[in-house]
């Protein structure tokens, strides 16, 4: 039985990789920059995204997909920022996959978008294995979760392009050991860039958005080349 | 392909249910009371368990299983309490299952134990589906995670026997809305009992251990009957 389960899991991931590659091609040719956000439940993904949208959507056409097992709560919160938001309800499924993203963007004119954000289901494990065709994957980790999390959930840190430490306004209250967290991230992933933010005080948010826009700009030449070639 | 995946998932869960039922029988006949602890990463499972062991293991023979994707950190922390601890390393698997528990307790004399605690992988989604043969499942939720979590992760609350709100010492710092959390828990699971603790200040810990011992005592007549029958 076990080999058959492994085989089915491999098939699922292979099928996802194909769908993700197709999505990535669509995103590239439409010129939309796609950022996914992963974290534990309660690390602050939705609040972080609310603050990000306030800064990004003033200058760029932006849209959001948000995944949850149940409820439309997060989509409702994010819609207040005035950007198009679609909720993906996964039922009992613990992660988003590329086909869910594909179905969710149906009917959207990607060419009119500069940024698409995808907020994954709150889970530090399973989303690591599912490519969504995104350009960047950002893993959030709050100061309240403990400095050992990179060691205990290495896969998600290994597949991320950036780690964002959230709720730094609570650092003193929880006795957060910044040096230890940075050491633990470096132990798992020596080259991973780390930013620190507080959605409550606003600390670090401008730096994060500037970083994001530099990544987007860095991709422009490639996109231009790709367009010339087609 | 999708029906085949669903079928395989059903088979996995069915196989787990059989293994869990066997385990439950072994636990019952040995007279060991088994409590599993589930939560998001960073809700404070290990610290809560450290404090619990300090109170419980003084009076009862106790052992612990602890699940993580990687590292032996939690097992090392828990061993300082002087009780037998075994780490289950799941690799990329996002939950414990009954067969992992069965393998992990091999060689332990269950008859000599009064309590066995099982700390699951940090994940509010997947552990909900896997029965471990435990008597009680306790879901932890820290005040820093946000009051909406029961609505967004209903399955785990529906399979739990108790919800424990952790880190209540941080309630003021994070603007925790206690009434809203209790409303949200009740919306998902009207009869679920809720306790509130701080492992830092000790608040609520004695109440939790007394609650646990009442549950264990409540099972004693059943166990006695079962023993008479065999």
């Amino acid at each position: 039985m076990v080999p058959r389960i492994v085989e089915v899991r491999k098939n699922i991931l292979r099928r996802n990789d194909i769908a993700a590659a197709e999505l990535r091609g669509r995103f590239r040719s439409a010129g939309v920059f796609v950022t996914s956000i992963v974290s534990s439940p309660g690390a602050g993904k939705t609040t972080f995204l609310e603050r990000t949208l306030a800064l990004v959507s003033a200058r760029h056409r932006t849209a959001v997909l948000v995944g949850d097992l149940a409820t439309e709560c997060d989509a409702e919160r994010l819609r207040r920022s005035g950007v198009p938001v679609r909720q993906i309800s996964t039922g009992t499924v613990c992660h988003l996959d590329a086909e869910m993203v594909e179905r969710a963007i149906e009917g959207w004119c990607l060419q009119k978008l500069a940024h698409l954000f995808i907020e994954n289901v709150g889970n530090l494990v399973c989303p690591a294995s599912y490519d969504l065709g995104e350009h960047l994957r950002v893993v959030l980790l709050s100061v309240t979760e403990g400095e050992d999390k990179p060691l205990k959930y290495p896969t998600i840190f290994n597949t991320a392009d950036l780690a964002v430490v959230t709720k730094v306004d609570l650092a003193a209250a929880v006795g957060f050991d910044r040096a230890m967290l940075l050491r633990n991230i470096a132990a798992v992933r020596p080259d991973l860039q780390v930013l620190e933010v507080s959605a409550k005080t606003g600390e670090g948010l401008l730096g994060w958005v500037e970083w994001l826009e530099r990544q987007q700009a860095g991709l422009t030449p490639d996109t231009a080349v790709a367009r010339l070639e087609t």
Side-chain angles (χ1 to χ4, degrees), chain A residues 74-179:
Chain A
D74 285 358
E76 281 165 27
R77 278 173 62 187
L78 293 165
R79 272 185 203 118
R80 286 180 213 133
S81 64
V83 309
V85 178
R86 285 187 179 163
Q87 178 86 43
I88 304 175
S89 292
T90 63
T92 58
V93 178
C94 52
H95 58 270
L96 296 180
D97 65 31
E99 291 181 1
M100 293 179 197
V101 170
E102 204 181 337
R103 283 193 298 274
I105 59 173
E106 211 171 289
W108 269 353
C109 179
L110 295 178
Q111 282 74 8
K112 291 195 175 161
L113 291 175
H115 280 279
L116 172 65
F117 292 96
I118 305 174
E119 180 184 333
N120 215 315
V121 176
N123 185 334
L124 267 191
V125 186
C126 317
S129 306
Y130 291 83
D131 184 358
L132 304 179
E134 70 268 59
H135 295 92
L136 288 180
R137 182 177 290 180
V138 179
V139 58
L140 265 56
L141 184 72
S142 82
V143 297
T144 67
E145 290 175 60
E147 298 81 0
D148 57 348
K149 294 302 164 293
L151 302 179
K152 292 172 66 182
Y153 302 89
T155 318
I156 201 105
F157 286 84
N158 273 316
T159 65
D161 300 289
L162 175 73
V164 175
V165 183
T166 60
K167 309 193 190 182
V168 295
D169 56 289
L170 294 174
V174 299
F176 173 61
D177 186 337
R178 183 175 178 274

Side-chain angles (χ1 to χ4, degrees), chain A residues 64-79:
Chain A
V64 175
L65 299 178
V66 52
D68 271 306
L69 300 200
T71 80
E72 283 257 342
C73 304
D74 285 358
E76 281 165 27
R77 278 173 62 187
L78 293 165
R79 272 185 203 118

Side-chain angles (χ1 to χ4, degrees), chain A residues 141 147-148 150-151 163 165 176-190 192-196:
Chain A
L141 184 72
E147 298 81 0
D148 57 348
L151 302 179
V165 183
F176 173 61
D177 186 337
R178 183 175 178 274
M180 189 191 287
L181 178 68
L182 295 179
R183 263 202 314 279
N184 288 343
I185 293 176
V188 168
R189 183 75 184 283
L192 187 64
Q193 194 164 348
V194 183
L195 297 176
E196 293 162 77

